[in-house]
C-alpha cells in the first residue's frame, strides 16, 4: 500500500473504531479509588512480600488477578496529607501548597482537582473515610470523612463530617467506612450519572488498633523478620541513623498496648501513653530486655498492623461483591493504593518519610475488565501526581494543563509500552516532628538513587538498587562513582527545573520552618 493509501486506510479504520466505541460504549466508566493509610506494598500478598503466606490479602489480590499490578509506583513526598494533595491535584507539594502534616497550611480546595474535572464531565462524586487535608472537600457531591485526632479520626466510635455536619458513629472505623461507601453507592448517589468514589480507610495507620474479631488472629505465630531488621545505619549515620522511628526505641506504651500501672491520674495516664516517643525506655516487664524486647516490640507492632489490614481487605471484598451483584464490575475501574509506603521493621523502623524504597513505593493495583488484561504486571515508574491525569484519561475527560503528572492510561491498556518515566523526583519537608527525618530531595532512576539531605546538614547519598536493593551502602563520595554522580545531578537539576522546584535551599528550608514543631 502506498503511503497516501495507508493514511486513508488508517483514517477509515480510526473512524470505524470511533463509531464502534460510540455505539458499544455509551456509558463512561465508573471509578472507585480505594486508598488505605500507610499500607505498604510488601504487606499485600500479590506483591509477594515476606507476610504473603501468613497474612494474605485475598480481596486485594483478586483485583490484581483480574487486573494489573504496578510495581514501581512512587509518591513524591512520603507522608499522609501531602500525598493526598498530590493525588487530588496532579501536582508536587511545592505547586499545590500542601507540604507537611504538621505546621503547614490547610489544603487550598479552590484549586483544580481531578474530582472537580470529573464533576464537570457529568460524574457524581463522593469521598468516604479519611481525608486529612484540614479543609472541606471540594468537587465532591457527597463526603463523610474522619475528624478529630488531627483529622486522623479514631479506630473506635469515630466522628465523621457528613456534608458539613458532625456525626458520632458507633463501631470500628474500617467497617463503618466500608458500610458508608456501600450506602452511597446503593442509595445516595445519582444513578443517572457515572460515579467516582474515593473510598479511603484510616487503617492501618498508627496506633494500629485491630477489630475485636482480629485482635488475636496471629496469636502463636512468629512473624518473619525483614532482612534489614538490625540495620546499624553504617554509611548513613547522620540521616537514617538520626531518625526517631525505630522499633527498638520509639514505639510508645500506647502503640504497644502495654497494660498501664494501677492508680494513674488521668493526666499521668495520658503522659504514660506517650512514653517512648522521645526514646524513653518502654517494656512490658522488668525481665524483657535487649534483643528479646526489640523482637517482642516488632511482633506486637507487625501483628496489629497486619490485623488492621485484615479488616481493610474484608471491606474491599464486600465492595467487589457489591459490584458483582449489581452488574457493575465490567464498567467500573477499581484502583487500590495507599498514600505512601511504610517500614515494616525494614531498617529497624516503622513509619515512612524517607526516600528509601519501602516508603517511597506505593501499592497500585487497577482492574478495568473492558480495557486491562487480567493478571498483568507493569514495572514502569509512575507517580502519585500521575493518578489524576490517568483517571481523567480513562474517563475520557481532558486533563487541565497545569497538572504536572502525566497519564499512564496507555501503558495500562497496552496501547503504548513506551510512555514510562526514565526517572522520578522526590521532595520531603517535615522536620523535626515527627520522627526527626531531615528534609531531602532526590532522584530515582531505574537503577540508581541520589538523595540530598539539606536542612541543617549537607549530606548526599547514592545507592545502586541493582547491587544493593536494601540501600545499605551509601556510595556517595567513592572515587569510581564521581562520573555517575555528575550525570545524576544533572538529571536531578533538570527535573527540579521542569517541576518548578529549582529554588534556593533557603526557600526550601523556609517551608520546613513554617509552624515547625520540636520534640
Ligand atoms: Ca499515610
Amino acid at each position: 500500500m502506498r503511503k497516501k493509501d495507508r493514511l486513508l486506510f488508517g483514517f477509515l479504520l480510526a473512524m470505524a473504531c470511533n463509531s464502534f466505541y460510540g455505539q458499544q460504549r455509551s456509558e463512561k466508566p465508573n471509578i472507585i479509588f480505594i486508598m488505605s493509610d500507610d499500607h505498604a506494598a510488601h504487606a499485600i500478598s500479590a506483591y509477594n512480600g515476606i507476610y504473603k503466606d501468613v497474612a494474605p490479602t485475598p480481596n486485594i489480590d483478586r483485583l490484581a488477578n483480574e487486573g494489573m499490578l504496578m510495581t514501581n509506583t512512587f509518591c513524591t513526598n512520603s507522608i499522609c496529607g501531602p500525598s493526598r494533595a498530590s493525588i487530588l491535584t496532579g501536582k508536587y507539594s511545592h505547586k499545590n501548597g500542601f507540604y507537611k502534616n504538621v505546621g503547614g497550611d490547610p489544603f487550598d480546595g479552590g484549586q483544580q482537582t481531578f474530582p472537580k474535572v470529573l464533576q464537570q464531565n457529568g460524574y457524581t462524586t463522593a469521598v468516604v473515610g479519611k481525608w486529612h487535608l484540614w479543609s472541606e472537600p471540594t468537587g465532591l457531591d457527597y463526603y463523610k470523612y474522619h475528624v478529630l485526632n488531627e483529622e486522623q479520626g479514631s479506630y473506635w466510635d469515630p466522628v465523621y463530617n457528613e456534608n458539613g455536619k458532625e456525626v458520632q458513629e458507633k463501631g470500628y472505623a474500617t467497617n463503618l467506612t466500608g458500610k458508608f461507601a456501600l450506602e452511597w453507592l446503593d442509595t445516595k448517589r445519582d444513578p443517572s450519572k457515572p460515579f467516582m468514589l474515593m473510598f479511603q480507610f484510616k487503617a492501618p495507620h498508627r496506633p494500629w488498633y485491630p477489630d475485636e474479631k482480629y485482635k488475636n488472629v496471629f496469636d502463636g505465630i512468629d512473624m518473619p523478620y525483614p532482612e534489614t531488621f538490625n540495620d546499624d545505619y553504617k554509611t548513613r549515620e547522620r540521616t537514617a541513623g538520626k531518625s526517631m522511628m525505630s522499633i527498638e526505641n520509639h514505639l510508645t506504651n500506647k502503640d504497644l498496648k502495654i497494660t498501664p500501672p494501677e492508680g494513674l491520674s488521668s493526666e499521668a495516664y495520658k503522659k504514660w501513653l506517650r512514653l517512648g516517643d522521645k526514646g524513653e525506655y518502654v517494656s512490658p516487664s522488668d525481665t524483657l530486655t535487649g534483643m528479646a524486647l526489640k523482637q517482642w516490640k516488632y511482633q506486637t507492632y507487625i501483628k496489629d498492623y497486619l490485623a488492621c489490614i485484615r479488616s481493610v481487605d474484608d471491606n474491599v471484598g464486600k465492595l467487589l461483591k457489591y459490584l458483582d451483584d449489581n452488574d457493575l464490575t465490567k464498567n467500573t475501574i477499581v484502583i487500590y493504593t495507599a498514600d505512601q509506603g511504610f517500614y515494616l521493621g525494614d531498617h529497624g523502623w516503622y513509619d515512612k518519610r524517607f526516600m528509601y524504597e519501602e516508603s517511597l513505593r506505593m501499592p497500585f493495583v487497577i482492574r478495568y475488565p473492558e480495557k486491562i488484561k487480567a493478571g498483568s504486571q507493569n514495572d514502569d515508574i509512575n507517580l502519585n501526581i500521575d493518578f489524576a491525569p490517568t483517571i481523567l484519561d480513562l474517563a475520557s475527560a481532558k486533563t487541565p494543563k497545569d497538572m504536572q503528572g502525566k497519564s499512564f492510561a496507555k501503558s495500562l491498556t497496552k496501547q503504548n509500552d513506551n510512555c514510562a518515566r526514565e526517572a522520578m523526583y522526590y521532595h520531603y519537608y517535615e522536620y523535626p516532628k515527627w520522627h526527626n527525618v531531615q528534609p531531602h530531595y532526590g532522584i530515582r532512576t531505574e537503577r540508581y538513587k541520589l538523595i540530598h539531605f539539606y536542612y541543617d546538614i549537607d549530606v548526599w547519598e547514592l545507592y545502586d538498587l541493582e547491587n544493593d536493593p536494601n540501600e545499605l551502602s551509601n556510595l556517595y563520595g567513592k572515587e569510581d562513582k564521581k562520573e555517575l554522580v555528575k550525570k545524576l545531578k544533572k538529571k536531578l537539576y533538570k527535573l527540579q527545573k521542569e517541576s518548578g522546584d529549582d529554588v534556593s535551599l533557603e526557600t526550601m528550608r523556609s517551608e520546613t520552618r513554617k509552624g515547625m514543631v520540636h520534640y
Side-chain angles (χ1 to χ4, degrees):
M1 213 184 293
R2 284 181 303 140
K3 193 181 171 194
K4 206 170 142 194
D5 293 338
R6 271 206 313 269
L7 283 172
L8 181 65
F9 179 73
F11 175 72
L12 289 172
L13 187 68
M15 290 291 287
C17 290
N18 278 340
S19 59
F20 172 80
Y21 279 112
Q23 283 164 18
Q24 297 291 312
R25 297 191 58 246
S26 55
E27 288 172 65
K28 291 185 176 191
N30 303 305
I31 298 153
I32 298 180
F33 180 83
I34 314 173
M35 180 158 70
S36 50
D37 195 349
D38 295 356
H39 192 183
H42 52 310
I44 293 173
S45 36
Y47 280 91
N48 223 7
I50 57 174
Y51 312 105
K52 71 175 179 346
D53 297 323
V54 69
T57 48
N59 293 296
I60 302 170
D61 291 5
R62 180 187 160 191
L63 280 176
N65 291 336
E66 295 173 4
M68 183 181 271
L69 184 81
M70 316 277 295
T71 62
N72 283 318
T73 300
F74 301 124
C75 58
T76 48
N77 183 357
S78 181
I79 181 169
C80 307
S83 181
R84 287 156 197 267
S86 286
I87 287 168
L88 284 168
T89 59
K91 292 176 185 173
Y92 281 96
S93 306
H94 61 271
K95 287 290 181 192
N96 66 44
F98 201 96
Y99 294 83
K100 313 184 286 182
N101 284 346
V102 176
D105 295 323
F107 178 66
D108 168 13
Q111 61 188 308
Q112 192 66 271
T113 63
F114 83 84
K116 281 186 190 174
V117 181
L118 288 175
Q119 248 183 355
Q120 290 152 12
N121 280 270
Y123 274 75
T124 179
T125 59
V127 61
V128 174
K130 190 167 171 184
W131 180 246
H132 201 187
L133 289 169
W134 301 97
S135 57
E136 294 287 282
T138 55
L140 294 146
D141 301 328
Y142 175 81
Y143 55 83
K144 185 159 186 170
Y145 70 92
H146 285 291
V147 291
L148 307 186
N149 294 330
E150 301 187 324
E151 298 226 330
Q152 297 285 356
S154 325
Y155 274 103
W156 288 99
D157 299 342
V159 178
Y160 289 80
N161 177 334
E162 186 177 21
N163 279 17
K165 204 176 130 212
E166 290 205 352
V167 191
Q168 169 79 61
E169 298 288 354
K170 278 230 111 18
Y172 186 62
T174 305
N175 295 335
L176 289 169
T177 292
K179 184 176 140 210
F180 301 145
L182 292 188
E183 275 175 9
W184 182 76
L185 285 174
D186 208 35
T187 60
K188 292 186 172 160
R189 72 183 162 100
D190 176 351
S192 70
K193 295 178 171 182
F195 63 81
M196 190 285 291
L197 168 66
M198 302 184 84
F199 182 18
Q200 308 190 152
F201 298 103
K202 82 165 250 85
H205 192 282
R206 190 185 188 187
W208 314 294
Y209 286 171
D211 189 4
E212 281 299 323
K213 185 178 166 188
Y214 291 131
K215 224 172 149 186
N216 302 311
V217 68
F218 299 120
D219 278 8
I221 292 170
D222 220 12
M223 286 293 173
Y225 291 86
E227 282 174 29
T228 57
F229 184 60
N230 291 313
D231 190 350
D232 60 4
Y233 315 120
K234 210 175 147 204
T235 75
R236 295 150 290 138
E237 287 94 347
R238 297 177 68 204
T239 55
K242 290 280 191 243
S243 66
M244 292 165 67
M245 48 198 249
S246 72
I247 304 271
E248 186 172 14
N249 297 316
H250 303 102
L251 286 170
T252 64
N253 280 318
K254 185 180 179 179
D255 294 330
L256 295 163
K257 289 86 184 178
I258 293 175
T259 310
E262 279 174 37
L264 292 179
S265 68
S266 131
E267 205 49 41
Y269 175 63
K270 277 186 200 156
K271 210 174 148 192
W272 176 88
L273 282 175
R274 287 196 299 269
L275 285 182
D277 245 3
K278 293 183 219 166
E280 299 96 335
Y281 183 75
V282 163
S283 175
S285 80
D286 295 341
T287 51
L288 193 57
T289 58
M291 183 53 80
L293 176 59
K294 181 178 171 181
Q295 290 182 343
W296 176 84
K297 286 182 179 182
Y298 167 74
Q299 293 292 334
T300 304
Y301 153 63
I302 201 68
K303 286 179 184 180
D304 282 348
Y305 176 90
L306 294 169
C308 287
I309 289 166
R310 276 278 159 112
S311 297
V312 169
D313 193 71
D314 284 352
N315 281 282
V316 170
K318 283 182 194 161
L319 173 92
L320 298 182
K321 184 175 182 308
Y322 178 86
L323 297 179
D324 290 342
D325 293 348
N326 290 276
D327 200 21
L328 286 164
T329 298
K330 206 175 158 210
N331 197 35
T332 300
I333 297 165
V334 182
I335 292 167
Y336 185 89
T337 187
D339 52 353
Q340 10 66 211
F342 213 68
Y343 297 99
L344 310 178
D346 313 275
H347 301 288
W349 291 330
Y350 66 95
D351 213 71
K352 54 249 180 184
R353 297 158 202 276
F354 278 110
M355 199 191 163
Y356 305 135
E357 292 293 271
E358 295 86 350
S359 56
L360 180 68
R361 178 168 289 107
M362 310 165 85
F364 195 94
V365 183
I366 180 165
R367 185 184 77 176
Y368 183 13
E370 281 200 7
K371 297 255 177 122
I372 298 173
K373 197 171 163 245
S376 50
Q377 184 176 315
N378 185 309
D379 305 325
D380 293 348
I381 293 178
N382 294 302
L383 307 180
N384 57 353
I385 58 168
D386 300 332
F387 295 179
T390 303
I391 289 169
L392 293 177
D393 204 1
L394 289 168
S396 304
K398 208 170 161 219
T399 296
K401 282 206 172 68
D402 62 339
M403 284 193 178
Q404 295 182 296
K406 49 180 202 172
S407 167
F408 53 84
K410 285 199 169 65
S411 60
L412 299 173
T413 54
K414 292 282 169 196
Q415 288 167 287
N416 186 351
D417 272 336
N418 301 314
C419 52
R421 285 169 187 275
E422 190 204 344
M424 62 84 59
Y425 178 64
Y426 181 86
H427 198 159
Y428 169 81
Y429 299 84
E430 190 173 291
Y431 177 79
K433 216 165 185 182
W434 295 88
H435 305 300
N436 212 45
V437 173
Q438 276 276 341
H440 56 288
Y441 58 80
I443 180 174
R444 186 199 190 280
T445 66
E446 210 176 300
R447 176 161 179 186
Y448 297 105
K449 192 182 290 180
L450 181 72
I451 317 175
H452 185 206
F453 295 86
Y454 64 81
Y455 185 73
D456 49 23
I457 54 174
D458 179 17
V459 175
W460 288 84
E461 292 181 3
L462 170 70
Y463 298 99
D464 179 343
L465 300 170
E466 197 174 294
N467 292 327
D468 176 28
N470 287 332
E471 298 165 296
L472 294 172
S473 178
N474 171 20
L475 302 172
Y476 191 85
K478 298 236 186 256
E479 200 53 44
D480 62 338
K481 295 288 179 285
K482 293 220 159 127
E483 260 318 294
L484 173 67
V485 165
K486 219 166 121 184
K487 274 189 204 154
L488 286 170
K489 278 190 180 171
K490 206 173 151 192
K491 274 189 193 165
L492 169 65
Y493 296 138
K494 192 168 165 253
L495 287 179
Q496 277 189 327
K497 196 160 182 216
E498 281 169 8
S499 68
D501 202 23
D502 52 337
V503 296
S504 68
L505 291 177
E506 205 31 51
T507 302
M508 293 176 183
R509 288 183 191 116
S510 71
E511 290 305 333
T512 295
R513 263 198 305 271
K514 254 189 218 168
M516 181 182 258
V517 180
H518 292 273
Y519 272 96

